[in-house]
Amino acid sequence: MTRSGSDVAQAASGPDDPELQEAIREVEIQFSNLFVHAKQLFRRRALGIHPDLSILGYRILGTVVREGALQQGHIAERLELDKAVASRTIKHLEDLGLVERAADPSDGRAFLVTASEVGRARYDAVSQRERAVLQARLTEWGVEDLHRFSDLLGRLMDGLDVRHGE
């Protein structure tokens, strides 16, 4: 990704530039708004699948829908969860009929977790509805704006490593 001339000029103004600091604060506010909205969206999606489904359960279900059968331990690692928390949540998902657990044939000590047909169908239906809402909103933007937005988000994410406190 390349920087435009105005981006380079802003970067050259220095970290103590009040205008730059105000712009950064505005970005932080918008990120905070985005995180609140994302949590509300995940909660709405979870409720659309089952009234007793938690946000964490939704995240685990989404992981196995997208990635297929996974060992419980791998789900915990992937989502950075305590193994006991992951195990209890997966058991709850199983009780709700959204996932199935079976012994891993390659490791008798481990369980493989897969989305049940019901879990996959409900997850896909909710995702499709929510995706349609986002798509309707984003079609109001021009293609150039969407590419620019994607590039800027990518540039930001490339520069962040939250696992190491940066």
Side-chain angles (χ1 to χ4, degrees), residues 46-106:
L47 289 172
I49 292 169
H50 193 283
D52 295 331
L53 184 61
S54 67
I55 292 173
L56 178 55
Y58 171 79
R59 290 179 57 216
I60 291 173
L61 178 62
T63 299
V64 296
V65 165
R66 287 186 306 274
E67 299 185 32
L70 292 170
Q71 286 185 356
Q72 285 187 179
H74 291 139
I75 293 169
E77 287 173 17
R78 198 170 258 119
L79 296 177
E80 298 181 353
L81 301 171
D82 176 81
K83 287 183 180 184
V85 170
S87 180
R88 282 192 302 273
T89 306
I90 290 166
K91 174 67 173 119
H92 183 66
L93 289 169
E94 185 178 33
D95 292 344
L96 296 176
L98 301 173
V99 301
E100 297 167 349
R101 291 187 309 163
D104 185 343
S106 66

Side-chain angles (χ1 to χ4, degrees), residues 15-138:
D16 295 329
D17 178 359
E19 189 175 351
L20 178 62
Q21 289 304 313
E22 179 58 28
I24 290 171
R25 276 191 291 281
E26 289 172 11
V27 169
E28 289 172 346
I29 289 167
Q30 291 306 320
F31 265 115
S32 179
N33 293 339
L34 176 65
F35 295 143
V36 168
H37 181 78
K39 185 175 180 181
Q40 292 168 346
L41 175 66
F42 286 156
R43 184 72 196 131
R44 187 172 67 233
R45 284 182 174 195
L47 289 172
I49 292 169
H50 193 283
D52 295 331
L53 184 61
S54 67
I55 292 173
L56 178 55
Y58 171 79
R59 290 179 57 216
I60 291 173
L61 178 62
T63 299
V64 296
V65 165
R66 287 186 306 274
E67 299 185 32
L70 292 170
Q71 286 185 356
Q72 285 187 179
H74 291 139
I75 293 169
E77 287 173 17
R78 198 170 258 119
L79 296 177
E80 298 181 353
L81 301 171
D82 176 81
K83 287 183 180 184
V85 170
S87 180
R88 282 192 302 273
T89 306
I90 290 166
K91 174 67 173 119
H92 183 66
L93 289 169
E94 185 178 33
D95 292 344
L96 296 176
L98 301 173
V99 301
E100 297 167 349
R101 291 187 309 163
D104 185 343
S106 66
D107 181 353
R109 301 167 297 153
F111 285 98
L112 287 177
V113 180
T114 57
S116 68
E117 285 185 38
V118 169
R120 179 177 299 281
R122 289 181 183 178
Y123 183 88
D124 288 346
V126 165
S127 295
Q128 187 176 10
R129 282 193 307 268
E130 295 293 341
R131 194 174 299 116
V133 170
L134 180 62
Q135 185 173 358
R137 178 65 179 110
L138 291 179

